[in-house]
Amino acid sequence: MNAIEGWLADYAPQALDTLKAFCRIESVSTDPAFKTGIEDASRFVATQLRDAGFPLVDIVETGGHPAVLAEWCAAPGAPTVLIYGHYDVQPPDPIDKWTSPAFEPTIRNDRLYARGVSDDKGPLLIPIIVAKAFHSLHGKLPLNLKVIIEGEEESGSPHLSPTVARLKDRLACDLVVSADGAMWRADLPSVTVASRGLIALEVVLTGAAKDLHSGRHGGSAPNPIRALTQMLATLHDAEGNVTVPGFSDAVTPPDPLILAAIQSANFDAAAYFDSIGAPHPDPLPSGAELLTRQWLIPTLEFNGISGGYAGSGTKTVIPASASVKITCRLVAGQDPEAVKSAIVRHLRSVLPTGYAMQSLDRGPGSAAFALNPNLPALAIAESVLSELLGAQPLRVAMGATIPIGDVFKTHLGAEMLFFSFSTSDEDYHAPNEFLRLSNFRLGMVAWARLIERLAKA
Amino acid sequence: MNAIEGWLADYAPQALDTLKAFCRIESVSTDPAFKTGIEDASRFVATQLRDAGFPLVDIVETGGHPAVLAEWCAAPGAPTVLIYGHYDVQPPDPIDKWTSPAFEPTIRNDRLYARGVSDDKGPLLIPIIVAKAFHSLHGKLPLNLKVIIEGEEESGSPHLSPTVARLKDRLACDLVVSADGAMWRADLPSVTVASRGLIALEVVLTGAAKDLHSGRHGGSAPNPIRALTQMLATLHDAEGNVTVPGFSDAVTPPDPLILAAIQSANFDAAAYFDSIGAPHPDPLPSGAELLTRQWLIPTLEFNGISGGYAGSGTKTVIPASASVKITCRLVAGQDPEAVKSAIVRHLRSVLPTGYAMQSLDRGPGSAAFALNPNLPALAIAESVLSELLGAQPLRVAMGATIPIGDVFKTHLGAEMLFFSFSTSDEDYHAPNEFLRLSNFRLGMVAWARLIERLAKA
């Protein structure tokens, strides 16, 4: 144990007190009733950063909830790392499902229970405390460190991209390390190296100018539900594979280590269908196939469909229009705009005569996140985790979308590494959110080693 | 002109006054606010029937609005005819679209404008006045006449079938003649000899037990919208023809005179699509093909589809379920239950694994109405119309459903003839409903001749 790790071990009780104090602040970003909590949390983070030795700490306006920026750039010639995190939390609802109050941090079985403790107050506090260790022992850091902690992650980070764009000179760096994110499973050390992108669109089909009587007009008038269902049926084959021409053309092969992780993960297909309460398909796909579909295959999912009468009973109407909401999860290589165009072009190619089709963009879309598998920083992170966890961490992907990776890549040209010590089973959008305190302590050692080794890279 | 027709010509001004008085009664059946109007109208009809000489007139309870029954059976050995009509009317809304008030009958251009005048107060008053003519001149009728005038036709006749079943001995007859219905076009004499039946069902497809995150689960979880649209796409071919096995097996060929009417009707396809505000299909079908599809081809129409998120914007959800509402219009020969079973059987045959399907019956269904084309009463009706209108009337079908035909056939075993003097362009479910007074006068002569000739048949 070196001096920094010894200092962190001695400081553990105070670190826990700081985390508890942070968790008592009700910093729910989506609900204006928690405005005071947001302000308190941003000031709390700024105070911790100043205490940790950062000479420059700002609470900056974003147009929404403020972000906290810090810079400690006193290591000429050494790399510059930008740390990302968020101080806002999910709403505590449903409140009556909590065993102990959501904003009264409580320890049970070496777990700290509180809203936001795992997502993302615990994980973001770790590198700040590590900086404080360097400051206390050496009065300086071995590299240049910048920090951006936003307050709107749980609201979809609406102001993050413009803020990073505006402050791109201040945020310039060689690497972004996200303290947000999660280990995949408690029993499997992992590092997230890819996530899927997202596009959203809506397609509206119109026939007649108004709803028509299905007796009088049935058979002769256009029925947009019939046309739309026939068009949508051409988007997948019977196995659910997307069949839109051009949809997957630009897909680049995934990191072979992700494929290896899928094979070694022992994902249980039957348990998966049981967990979502769905009948088992026959034949049952393998767990590896399901994981491949969740992590590495782009999707085209229908999120909503509507048209005509949706009330109880029956109404003999031929509706004037019908519409469908579509989102796609993209993988590395796919361009969001190109994929959107391919879908719209294909739907127009199968549009029957006698109908008008309108396609509506629902958001700008975001590309998939895929870390360069040969990035030296990734190897460093893996070696740190490997020596601390006793096993080489799996390189995992996630099916969901992490827009921040795209934000930093676009505006700063920097790769982003996930280095988080929460675990995806810690109920972070649900009642009884918790953080394993063993990981809180482990994370401090890991971040200290990461910073030391990145400094020498 | 015989004595009856002379009497009717002299009586025309009084007949018009009676019709006006009837139209002033606000007998809207769907709205409880018009309860007094319903009571007044049923009493008005009963009074007219007594004045016309019917020795037995009853206002009978049905469980809903009362029906008026009358019997004048004093011609032993002569046929017994039951006349059907309804005294209730559609709501007058939107009131501000009326040129003159809905319940203040007003003559413009030999048309009487008032809510209900065409549907069905004018047409049902005609045979009552004709009966009065026979009563005034001869003190008797040449055949046995029964009358049932209901008060819930505009509410879907919910109590007609049980009432006819309960009173089937009193209502026993050789033939039903409906004063309700309509000539197809003002410029084309027509008699309705067929209408399509109806079945309604709803199909619900379920995947997982609850809505799922489309990022986390996209690609691996069942998507009921995807499965449902693929299943629904197998119900029609690209031209919109129903492809369900067994769906059309029992269809019997239509009356050749209907086919002849379709060919001679000069139905304008381009004008049809313009009238419903729909883009023209390319190639444009012929008018005869459209009319065939409306009158003689069974349909399977989607009246509503729903599943997942239907609000504004986007929601990244894979819905737990999706559902579709279906109605079919049936033609002669099709059994409603058999058709329903064929659809459900087919959908089950294309149901992918990993989903649960539920089919819900939405109403008992009704068979198509098709008059025996060789019925002597039909030939008599056609000859009367032919000599009065100067042309052989077309035998037309209608795409909508007339459940009353099925009711009388089932409970009384009697065929039903439509003999109505409203025209389908008289805006009877819209503002400014009117009746052509020339048809009101013509109808009296026609009914008089019909009764005289049916008496001798």
Side-chain angles (χ1 to χ4, degrees):
Chain A
M1 190 185 288
N2 66 18
I4 292 287
E5 291 173 25
W7 187 96
L8 289 167
D10 293 342
Y11 191 75
Q14 278 164 274
L16 180 58
D17 284 346
T18 306
L19 178 55
K20 283 181 177 172
F22 196 8
C23 290
R24 280 190 196 99
I25 302 173
E26 306 186 357
S27 53
V28 177
S29 58
T30 57
D31 186 343
F34 292 88
K35 189 171 184 297
T36 306
I38 287 289
E39 287 167 359
D40 289 351
S42 62
R43 278 197 295 265
F44 182 93
V45 170
T47 302
Q48 298 307 314
L49 286 162
R50 283 191 200 97
D51 284 356
F54 284 82
L56 188 57
V57 178
D58 273 344
I59 295 177
V60 300
E61 291 305 319
T62 65
H65 298 326
V68 185
L69 249 63
E71 297 172 51
W72 189 357
C73 297
T80 301
V81 169
L82 172 65
I83 296 172
Y84 167 83
H86 63 93
Y87 65 78
D88 63 319
V89 303
Q90 284 276 318
D93 311 80
I95 291 171
D96 59 350
K97 293 274 166 60
W98 284 77
T99 301
S100 50
F103 294 106
E104 187 48 59
T106 306
I107 295 174
R108 295 193 291 276
N109 292 325
D110 202 40
R111 297 169 167 194
L112 185 63
Y113 287 82
R115 167 56 80 229
V117 65
S118 174
D119 180 20
D120 177 42
K121 287 178 172 175
L124 84 81
L125 211 52
I126 291 174
I128 299 176
I129 292 170
V130 168
K132 186 181 177 76
F134 281 103
H135 181 245
S136 302
L137 279 177
H138 308 309
K140 65 177 182 180
L141 286 172
L143 44 55
N144 300 298
L145 213 52
K146 297 179 177 178
V147 176
I148 181 166
I149 310 288
E150 67 157 324
E152 299 188 319
E153 200 274 342
E154 301 295 0
S155 308
S157 300
H159 299 94
L160 183 67
S161 182
T163 301
V164 172
R166 180 167 57 85
L167 302 174
K168 66 178 179 179
D169 292 338
R170 284 188 63 180
L171 295 171
C173 61
D174 300 301
L175 176 73
V176 180
V177 183
S178 173
D180 192 26
M183 297 264 183
W184 183 45
R185 276 158 54 181
D187 59 344
L188 271 184
S190 65
V191 53
T192 301
V193 297
S195 75
R196 295 190 290 190
L198 180 68
I199 58 166
L201 69 158
E202 185 166 353
V203 174
V204 183
L205 216 62
T206 307
K210 57 184 176 181
D211 290 358
L212 299 172
H213 189 289
S214 74
R216 166 84 179 76
H217 296 277
S220 59
N223 187 322
I225 299 177
R226 170 162 54 84
L228 184 64
T229 54
Q230 291 198 330
M231 290 165 65
L232 298 183
T234 68
L235 297 175
H236 301 85
D237 65 16
E239 280 71 47
N241 303 302
V242 178
T243 52
V244 175
F247 183 79
S248 305
D249 282 359
V251 168
T252 56
D255 183 345
L257 289 179
I258 298 181
L259 296 174
I262 286 174
Q263 292 305 324
S264 60
N266 292 320
F267 191 74
D268 184 334
Y272 171 71
F273 288 107
D274 290 344
S275 75
I276 62 173
H280 292 196
D282 180 21
L284 191 69
S286 71
E289 184 183 335
L290 284 183
L291 222 44
T292 304
R293 288 181 161 271
Q294 287 179 8
W295 289 359
L296 300 178
I297 308 282
T299 67
L300 190 165
E301 295 283 3
F302 306 124
N303 309 114
I305 193 165
S306 58
Y309 181 66
S312 65
T314 193
K315 188 176 177 189
T316 53
V317 72
I318 296 176
S321 69
S323 67
V324 66
K325 290 175 194 284
I326 295 173
T327 54
C328 296
R329 299 290 167 165
L330 310 180
V331 301
Q334 289 183 295
D335 174 56
E337 283 307 313
V339 170
K340 216 181 282 187
S341 298
I343 295 168
V344 172
R345 194 166 52 240
H346 172 73
L347 286 174
R348 289 209 180 278
S349 78
V350 295
L351 174 68
T353 66
Y355 296 87
M357 174 182 141
Q358 193 187 6
S359 69
L360 307 161
D361 242 28
R362 294 302 187 196
S366 59
F369 166 73
L371 190 60
N372 170 5
N374 301 314
L375 191 74
L378 174 60
I380 291 170
E382 287 178 319
S383 71
V384 168
L385 291 173
S386 173
E387 65 197 33
L388 288 173
L389 297 167
Q392 179 72 11
L394 296 181
R395 285 192 180 180
V396 302
M398 56 189 288
T401 301
I402 307 175
I404 53 165
D406 201 33
V407 167
F408 293 118
K409 184 89 180 189
T410 301
H411 300 305
L412 307 180
E415 298 269 8
M416 188 175 72
L417 184 71
F418 285 92
F419 204 68
S420 168
F421 288 83
S422 73
T423 312
S424 65
D425 67 348
E426 291 177 336
D427 289 326
Y428 35 76
H429 286 199
N432 301 310
E433 177 176 350
F434 66 93
L435 176 68
R436 289 177 173 84
L437 289 175
S438 55
N439 282 347
F440 185 55
R441 296 183 293 261
L442 183 82
M444 293 192 220
V445 178
W447 269 93
R449 293 189 189 181
L450 182 73
I451 285 173
E452 281 168 340
R453 292 186 204 174
L454 286 175
K456 292 175 199 149
Chain B
M1 192 185 290
N2 66 18
I4 291 288
E5 291 172 25
W7 186 95
L8 288 167
D10 293 343
Y11 191 74
Q14 280 164 273
L16 181 58
D17 285 346
T18 306
L19 178 56
K20 283 181 176 172
F22 196 9
C23 290
R24 280 190 197 99
I25 303 173
E26 306 185 357
S27 52
V28 177
S29 57
T30 57
D31 185 343
F34 291 90
K35 189 171 185 297
T36 306
I38 287 289
E39 287 167 0
D40 288 351
S42 62
R43 279 196 294 267
F44 183 93
V45 171
T47 302
Q48 298 306 315
L49 286 162
R50 282 190 201 99
D51 285 355
F54 283 83
L56 188 57
V57 178
D58 273 344
I59 295 178
V60 298
E61 291 304 320
T62 65
H65 298 326
V68 185
L69 251 61
E71 297 172 51
W72 190 355
C73 296
T80 301
V81 169
L82 172 65
I83 296 172
Y84 167 83
H86 64 93
Y87 63 79
D88 64 318
V89 303
Q90 283 276 317
D93 311 80
I95 291 172
D96 59 349
K97 293 274 167 58
W98 285 78
T99 301
S100 49
F103 294 106
E104 187 48 61
T106 307
I107 295 173
R108 295 192 291 276
N109 292 324
D110 203 37
R111 297 170 167 193
L112 185 62
Y113 286 81
R115 167 56 81 229
V117 66
S118 175
D119 181 21
D120 175 46
K121 287 178 172 176
L124 86 81
L125 211 53
I126 291 174
I128 299 176
I129 292 170
V130 169
K132 186 180 178 77
F134 282 103
H135 182 245
S136 302
L137 280 176
H138 308 308
K140 64 176 183 181
L141 287 171
L143 44 55
N144 301 299
L145 213 52
K146 298 179 177 179
V147 176
I148 180 167
I149 310 288
E150 68 158 323
E152 299 187 320
E153 201 274 342
E154 302 295 1
S155 307
S157 301
H159 299 93
L160 183 67
S161 182
T163 301
V164 172
R166 179 168 58 86
L167 302 175
K168 66 179 181 178
D169 292 338
R170 283 188 64 180
L171 296 171
C173 61
D174 299 300
L175 175 73
V176 180
V177 183
S178 174
D180 192 26
M183 297 265 183
W184 183 45
R185 276 159 54 183
D187 60 344
L188 270 183
S190 64
V191 54
T192 302
V193 296
S195 76
R196 295 189 291 190
L198 180 69
I199 59 165
L201 69 159
E202 185 166 353
V203 174
V204 183
L205 216 62
T206 307
K210 57 185 176 182
D211 290 0
L212 300 172
H213 189 291
S214 74
R216 166 83 178 78
H217 296 276
S220 59
N223 187 322
I225 299 177
R226 171 163 53 85
L228 184 64
T229 54
Q230 291 198 330
M231 291 165 64
L232 297 183
T234 69
L235 297 176
H236 301 86
D237 65 17
E239 280 71 47
N241 304 302
V242 178
T243 52
V244 174
F247 182 79
S248 304
D249 282 358
V251 167
T252 56
D255 183 344
L257 288 178
I258 298 180
L259 296 173
I262 286 175
Q263 292 305 325
S264 61
N266 293 321
F267 189 75
D268 185 333
Y272 171 71
F273 287 107
D274 291 343
S275 75
I276 62 172
H280 291 196
D282 180 20
L284 191 68
S286 70
E289 184 184 335
L290 284 183
L291 221 44
T292 304
R293 287 182 161 270
Q294 287 179 7
W295 289 359
L296 300 178
I297 307 283
T299 68
L300 190 165
E301 294 283 3
F302 305 124
N303 308 115
I305 192 165
S306 59
Y309 181 66
S312 65
T314 193
K315 188 178 178 189
T316 52
V317 73
I318 297 176
S321 69
S323 66
V324 66
K325 290 175 194 285
I326 295 173
T327 55
C328 295
R329 299 290 168 167
L330 309 180
V331 301
Q334 289 184 295
D335 173 57
E337 283 307 314
V339 170
K340 216 181 281 186
S341 299
I343 295 168
V344 172
R345 193 165 54 239
H346 172 72
L347 287 174
R348 289 209 180 278
S349 78
V350 295
L351 174 67
T353 66
Y355 296 88
M357 174 181 143
Q358 193 187 6
S359 70
L360 307 160
D361 242 30
R362 294 302 187 195
S366 58
F369 165 74
L371 190 61
N372 169 6
N374 302 314
L375 191 75
L378 174 60
I380 291 170
E382 288 178 319
S383 72
V384 168
L385 292 172
S386 172
E387 66 196 33
L388 287 172
L389 298 167
Q392 179 72 10
L394 296 181
R395 286 191 181 182
V396 302
M398 58 188 288
T401 301
I402 307 175
I404 52 166
D406 201 34
V407 167
F408 293 118
K409 184 89 180 191
T410 301
H411 299 304
L412 307 181
E415 297 268 9
M416 187 174 73
L417 184 70
F418 285 91
F419 204 67
S420 168
F421 289 84
S422 75
T423 313
S424 64
D425 68 347
E426 291 176 337
D427 288 326
Y428 34 77
H429 285 199
N432 301 310
E433 178 177 348
F434 67 92
L435 177 69
R436 289 177 173 84
L437 289 175
S438 56
N439 282 347
F440 185 57
R441 296 183 293 262
L442 183 82
M444 293 192 222
V445 178
W447 269 93
R449 291 189 189 180
L450 181 74
I451 286 172
E452 282 169 337
R453 292 187 204 173
L454 287 176
K456 292 176 197 145

